């Protein structure tokens, strides 16, 4: 890229070649300084710690520091520069990049994009220059600086920042492999979300291509930078829809210098259970009414005492009457979680026995009370009145015993709903039960009722519209003392329980006070493609605003009708055309058609990978089952047989909306069957 083409606003007298050469020298100096910082971190020893445990902790911290200082040669160390007019202790010129870099004299060479002073790079405008006289953006190819452009802010005309060709080209740059970070292209409305306070739960409704996933990841990186000590103790968790999605986003946080973030799925949190289930049953199990039903089911295991406690010590016998045992049980029930309540009952009964001992002139101590609490007479009362149970035992009884379900449900479920939940042929025991994905959330709810679930500092939840209320409750428990970033698109809901309201999602998370914000301006999906997919919105999510794209994308959409039996050949033709362009290619088809299409491409000599639930694959050309496409992006997308994608599941139109919005550069729709009616009017002619 010639520097002068991308630098229309160089100051009078500045030679663009000289400016570019100077910035390249600064880049080389910064890379050398980063290597020195990493070598210094690697040279540090954990031997200074006083004991073995401290040594292990310090060694882990040092290794984490070394990993965070790794250079990524294909990514720029800095992507912008700010010339400042503020009279303060900060440098007048700062380079903004992915991490802080300083030289041996502690002079900053690159300022972390998350630092407060760096906010001006994303937010400054002619109307509000924020003490910035000039903002410079850099163009890169791999890790090499190739161009720059300047924007003068103080004294400039207009309210909005000038259009940036470098920014546009970075957004449109073809990608291969995992997701890229967007740190160089963050827009002001995205930056507001990224830098929201740690204590605030933010819910982002984001249309396709608005960068909501990347915004959530960058908020995690920002919070870790700003609240390092607190979040190092409490932790940060990223929750994605599947393992393939997590693999796709895996490189973003390390590229930003953050390596200690747990990434998992809802199944990874509540349990990997996948037995098949009727969608209607699954939806009912995900209903928030189940929370109260499960609580009653658990506490119905606590029964009214019919006998007291008789404790023998030597020749002495000490009795606690049955009415006193009933009073103790009544005072504990409902005031604590189940398991701590059981332990407290044992101690209360033991204390009552000790009172009898003291009344006879004895002087028992705490050791005696603990011995009484563990004694057979007390244990017999515990097992009869407050038995030890597991989540699996409680749920097994609830789903296999119609009478017990009726007692637990009371008026919360209709008779037909109770019949739907009850197993027609129950397993022999809870140990042989095959649990479903919906059961996993119920088991997690019961586990929290028995023992309190630990909380972490911050949770980022992507594709949250697809989570059931009971799954959302499971996530809410894990940030009950922290906060969350909730990401999704109501139009892309594809599960039987997909939500229609973000306020309902926040309620189920236990975060009613959270803020809901909407991103409607897209940067990634071409306008022609987005407008085509948006024809489905009146049927999928009529309450949402129609998304807009900044990129016209003329010629980015092609819809092709194939003759009966000629579909594989039409797909092969589209694939060969896409291979002639730069960038990644995703062939998205109905799940049931993947094997046959893959075989056809193999026969045609087209090397490719097949996306599975656990990885994104390593191939430039990938076959993608429609059910795994959510959250992924490819430069060129070929969608095969939309009608079959729609017919494959109850919310098929929503699935098709997801599939049609995965393209960053071109979308080719290949079909032999009729297109869904909403897509037909005004669609481009077959080519």
């Amino acid at each position: 890229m010639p520097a002068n083409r991308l630098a229309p606003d160089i100051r009078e007298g500045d030679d663009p070649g000289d400016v570019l050469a100077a910035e390249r020298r600064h880049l080389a100096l910064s890379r050398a300084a980063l290597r020195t910082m990493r070598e210094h971190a690697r040279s540090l020893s954990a031997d200074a710690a006083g004991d073995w445990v401290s040594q292990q902790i310090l060694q882990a911290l040092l290794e984490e520091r070394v990993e965070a200082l790794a250079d990524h040669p294909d990514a720029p160390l800095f992507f912008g520069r700010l010339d400042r007019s503020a009279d303060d202790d900060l440098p007048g010129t700062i380079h903004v990049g992915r991490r802080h870099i300083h030289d041996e004299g502690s002079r900053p060479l690159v300022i972390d994009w998350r630092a407060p002073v760096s906010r001006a790079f994303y937010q400054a405008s002619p109307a509000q220059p924020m003490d910035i006289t000039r903002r410079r953006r850099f163009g890169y190819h791999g890790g090499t600086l190739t161009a720059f452009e300047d924007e003068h802010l103080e004294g400039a005309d207009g309210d909005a920042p000038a259009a940036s060709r470098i920014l546009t080209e970075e957004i449109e740059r073809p990608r291969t492999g995992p997701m890229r970070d967007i740190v160089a292209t963050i827009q002001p409305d995205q930056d507001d979300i990224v830098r929201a306070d740690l204590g605030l739960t933010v819910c982002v409704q984001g249309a396709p291509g608005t960068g909501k996933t990347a915004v959530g990841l960058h908020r995690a990186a920002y919070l870790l930078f700003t609240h390092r000590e607190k979040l190092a103790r409490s932790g940060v968790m990223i929750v994605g829809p599947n393992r393939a999605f997590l693999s796709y986003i895996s490189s973003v946080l390390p590229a930003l210098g953050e390596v200690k973030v747990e990434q998992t799925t809802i199944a990874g949190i509540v349990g990997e259970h996948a037995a098949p289930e009727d969608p209607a049953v699954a939806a009912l199990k995900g209903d928030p009414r189940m929370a109260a039903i499960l609580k009653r089911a658990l506490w119905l295991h606590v029964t009214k005492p019919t006998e007291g406690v008789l404790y023998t010590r030597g020749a002495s016998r000490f009795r606690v009457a049955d009415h006193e045992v009933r009073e103790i049980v009544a005072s504990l029930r409902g005031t604590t979680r189940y398991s701590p309540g059981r332990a407290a009952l044992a101690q209360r009964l033991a204390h009552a026995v000790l009172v009898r001992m003291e009344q006879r002139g004895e002087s028992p101590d705490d050791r005696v009370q603990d011995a009484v609490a563990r004694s057979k007479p007390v244990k017999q009362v515990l097992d009869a009145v407050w038995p030890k149970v597991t989540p699996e035992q409680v749920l097994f009884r609830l789903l296999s015993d119609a009478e017990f379900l009726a007692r637990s449900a009371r008026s919360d479920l209709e008779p037909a709903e109770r019949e739907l939940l009850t197993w027609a042929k129950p397993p022999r025991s809870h140990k042989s039960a095959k649990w479903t994905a919906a059961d996993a959330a119920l088991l997690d709810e019961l586990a929290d009722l028995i023992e309190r679930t630990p909380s972490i500092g911050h949770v980022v939840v992507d594709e949250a519209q697809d989570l059931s209320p009971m799954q959302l409750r499971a996530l809410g428990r894990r940030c009950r003392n922290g906060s969350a970033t909730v990401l999704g698109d109501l139009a892309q809901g594809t599960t039987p329980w997909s939500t229609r309201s973000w306020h309902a999602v926040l309620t189920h998370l236990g975060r009613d006070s959270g803020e809901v914000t909407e991103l409607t301006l897209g940067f990634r999906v071409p306008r022609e493609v987005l407008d085509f997919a948006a024809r489905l919105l009146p049927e999928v999510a009529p309450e949402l605003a129609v998304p807009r794209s900044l990129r016209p994308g003329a010629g980015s959409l092609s819809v092709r009708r194939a003759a009966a039996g000629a579909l594989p050949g039409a797909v092969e033709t589209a694939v060969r055309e896409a291979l002639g362009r730069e960038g990644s290619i995703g062939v998205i088809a109905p799940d049931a058609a993947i094997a046959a299409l893959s075989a056809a491409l193999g026969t045609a000599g087209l090397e490719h990978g097949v996306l599975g639930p656990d990885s994104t694959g390593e191939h430039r050309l990938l076959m993608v089952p429609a059910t795994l496409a959510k959250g992924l992006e490819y430069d060129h997308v070929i969608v095969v047989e939309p009608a079959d994608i729609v017919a494959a599941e109850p919310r098929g139109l929503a699935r098709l909306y997801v599939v049609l919005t995965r393209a960053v550069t071109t979308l080719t729709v290949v079909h032999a069957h009729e297109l869904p009616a909403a897509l037909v009017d005004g669609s481009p002619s077959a080519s």
Side-chain angles (χ1 to χ4, degrees):
M1 256 179 245
N4 55 2
R5 182 172 68 84
L6 291 180
D9 191 22
I10 304 302
R11 285 185 175 181
E12 188 73 26
D14 287 348
D15 180 82
D18 292 342
V19 173
L20 191 60
E23 297 290 10
R24 284 172 173 167
R25 288 194 295 272
H26 188 79
L27 175 60
L29 182 65
S30 301
R31 286 203 184 279
L34 180 60
R35 286 194 297 271
T36 300
M37 291 170 63
R38 194 169 196 233
E39 289 165 3
H40 174 70
R42 188 178 282 130
S43 70
L44 298 176
S45 172
D47 294 342
D51 56 77
W52 183 85
V53 173
S54 299
Q55 286 180 355
Q56 298 305 305
I57 294 173
L58 181 56
Q59 184 62 42
L61 291 173
L62 290 175
E63 291 174 357
E64 181 182 330
R65 173 66 174 163
V66 170
E67 188 175 355
L69 290 172
D71 192 2
H72 296 264
D74 291 333
L77 286 182
F78 56 81
F79 45 81
R81 168 178 151 168
L82 296 174
D83 293 350
R84 307 172 64 250
S85 61
D87 184 15
D88 54 29
D89 295 333
L90 295 172
T93 297
I94 64 173
H95 286 76
V96 180
R98 286 168 168 75
R99 59 172 63 81
H100 175 84
I101 301 173
H102 59 261
D103 62 15
E104 293 181 351
S106 297
R107 179 172 64 97
L109 301 176
V110 180
I111 300 293
D112 196 298
W113 67 275
R114 297 166 288 187
V117 69
S118 298
R119 183 167 195 172
F121 182 76
Y122 304 106
Q123 296 281 357
S125 67
Q128 292 184 313
M130 302 173 69
D131 295 322
I132 304 301
T133 60
R134 176 171 58 181
R135 172 168 49 207
R136 175 171 290 170
R137 298 183 188 275
F138 296 103
Y140 282 84
H141 181 71
T144 303
L145 195 157
T146 58
F148 71 94
E149 64 182 6
D150 287 346
E151 180 184 3
H152 298 287
L153 297 176
E154 287 191 347
D157 296 330
D159 296 330
S164 166
R165 175 176 285 182
I166 281 183
L167 185 63
T168 301
E169 291 189 353
E170 171 61 20
I171 289 173
E172 296 181 351
R173 177 166 59 89
R175 78 284 318 280
T176 57
M179 181 182 185
R180 290 203 318 261
D181 64 69
I182 63 166
V183 65
T185 63
I186 292 173
Q187 302 300 298
D189 56 344
Q190 295 174 323
D191 187 65
D192 289 336
I193 298 169
V194 168
R195 296 177 192 265
D197 292 340
L198 172 60
L200 179 65
T201 289
V202 180
C203 181
V204 183
Q205 158 62 38
T210 54
K212 60 182 178 296
T213 297
V215 166
L217 296 176
H218 286 65
R219 187 181 185 210
Y222 171 78
L223 293 176
L224 281 164
F225 175 85
T226 309
H227 306 278
R228 177 76 59 191
E229 185 175 342
K230 181 175 182 178
L231 291 179
R233 295 193 305 268
S234 57
V236 174
M237 178 188 294
I238 309 291
V239 183
N242 51 56
R243 291 289 174 186
F245 175 83
L246 294 180
S247 178
Y248 177 65
I249 68 171
S250 61
S251 64
V252 173
L253 289 172
L256 299 174
E258 300 299 342
V259 295
K260 198 174 182 181
V261 177
E262 181 181 0
Q263 299 187 24
T264 187
T265 62
I266 186 66
I269 291 173
V270 301
E272 300 277 357
H273 300 296
E277 185 165 53
D278 182 341
V281 178
L284 182 55
K285 288 180 178 178
D287 193 287
R289 292 175 293 170
M290 292 301 300
I293 295 169
L294 292 171
K295 186 174 183 179
R296 293 190 204 106
L298 175 63
W299 286 100
L300 280 173
H301 287 78
V302 177
T303 59
K304 186 177 181 179
T306 57
E307 296 182 0
V309 175
L310 179 61
Y311 181 78
T312 302
R313 189 184 188 198
S316 301
R317 305 173 74 191
F318 306 95
R319 182 183 298 277
V320 181
D322 56 353
H323 70 86
E324 189 173 352
V325 175
R326 284 196 291 273
E327 290 174 1
I328 294 173
V329 171
S331 69
L332 286 173
R333 180 170 179 160
T335 64
T336 179
R337 279 176 166 73
Y338 189 92
S339 187
R342 187 174 191 271
L345 175 58
Q347 290 294 328
R348 294 276 187 93
L349 294 175
H351 177 73
V353 171
L354 260 65
V355 170
R356 307 297 190 274
M357 293 179 179
E358 291 170 347
Q359 289 171 345
R360 296 188 188 181
E362 297 187 23
S363 300
D365 56 18
D366 290 345
R367 290 175 297 177
V368 176
Q369 178 166 328
D370 289 340
V372 175
R374 295 192 301 270
S375 67
K376 184 176 180 180
V378 171
K379 190 175 184 301
Q380 286 176 334
V381 173
L382 280 180
D383 291 342
V385 175
W386 203 305
K388 181 182 289 187
V389 294
T390 66
E392 289 78 9
Q393 288 172 324
V394 178
L395 188 57
F396 174 82
R397 184 180 178 189
L398 190 70
L399 300 181
S400 60
D401 185 338
E403 188 274 333
F404 182 68
L405 175 58
R407 289 172 59 203
S408 302
R410 296 183 184 175
S411 60
D412 286 337
L413 296 178
E414 299 294 331
E417 291 177 314
R418 297 201 303 270
E419 184 178 355
L420 192 63
L421 280 181
T422 306
W423 281 330
K425 295 181 179 179
R428 296 185 63 180
S429 75
H430 70 278
K431 294 181 180 179
S432 59
K434 297 186 183 301
W435 304 110
T436 67
D439 290 332
L442 305 185
L443 292 170
D444 191 77
E445 182 87 19
L446 285 165
D448 183 70
L449 292 169
I450 295 171
E451 290 278 5
R452 186 180 180 91
T453 304
S455 175
I456 61 178
H458 193 78
V459 175
V460 178
V461 188
D462 206 355
E463 304 296 350
Q465 78 281 344
D466 277 345
L467 298 176
S468 73
M470 295 304 292
Q471 290 172 328
L472 289 167
R473 286 176 60 86
L475 292 174
R477 288 189 285 276
R478 284 159 175 84
C479 62
R480 56 162 55 97
N481 298 326
S483 58
T485 301
V486 183
L487 312 164
D489 181 6
L490 298 181
Q492 296 185 52
T494 54
T495 57
W497 47 65
S498 294
T499 188
R500 297 288 186 179
S501 165
W502 287 121
H503 292 289
V505 167
L506 290 173
T507 297
H508 298 317
L509 279 172
R511 292 289 178 274
D512 297 52
S513 60
E515 292 187 359
V516 179
T517 186
E518 188 170 5
L519 296 175
T520 59
L521 190 59
F523 306 94
R524 305 253 182 240
V525 183
R527 187 182 307 157
E528 188 175 356
V529 172
L530 194 60
D531 289 349
F532 179 67
R535 296 176 188 175
L536 298 173
L537 281 180
E539 296 185 52
V540 172
E543 68 280 7
L544 291 183
V546 176
R548 298 174 296 130
S549 176
L550 285 178
R551 300 168 52 206
S556 58
L557 175 66
S558 174
V559 181
R560 306 178 182 184
R561 180 71 181 261
L567 189 67
V571 172
E572 178 191 339
T573 299
V575 167
R576 292 191 184 279
E577 291 176 4
L579 286 169
R581 307 184 183 105
E582 186 181 3
S584 58
I585 305 164
V587 180
I588 308 178
D591 291 31
I594 290 292
L597 285 172
S598 176
L601 292 183
T603 301
L606 295 171
E607 184 179 352
H608 64 281
V610 177
L611 183 69
D614 297 324
S615 69
T616 58
E618 300 296 331
H619 293 78
R620 179 190 172 203
L621 171 62
L622 274 177
M623 294 292 306
V624 182
T627 56
L628 293 182
K630 189 170 294 183
L632 307 181
E633 291 179 341
Y634 302 94
D635 288 295
H636 309 286
V637 170
I638 300 165
V639 173
V640 182
E641 210 59 273
D644 289 351
I645 292 175
V646 173
E649 52 188 312
R651 300 202 65 183
L653 281 174
R655 180 73 67 189
L656 181 59
Y657 180 74
V658 172
V659 166
L660 293 175
T661 53
R662 300 306 93 200
V664 176
T665 303
T666 67
L667 170 66
T668 302
V669 179
V670 182
H671 66 104
H673 301 153
E674 294 293 334
L675 290 174
L679 294 179
V680 173
D681 294 337
S683 62
S685 302
S687 57

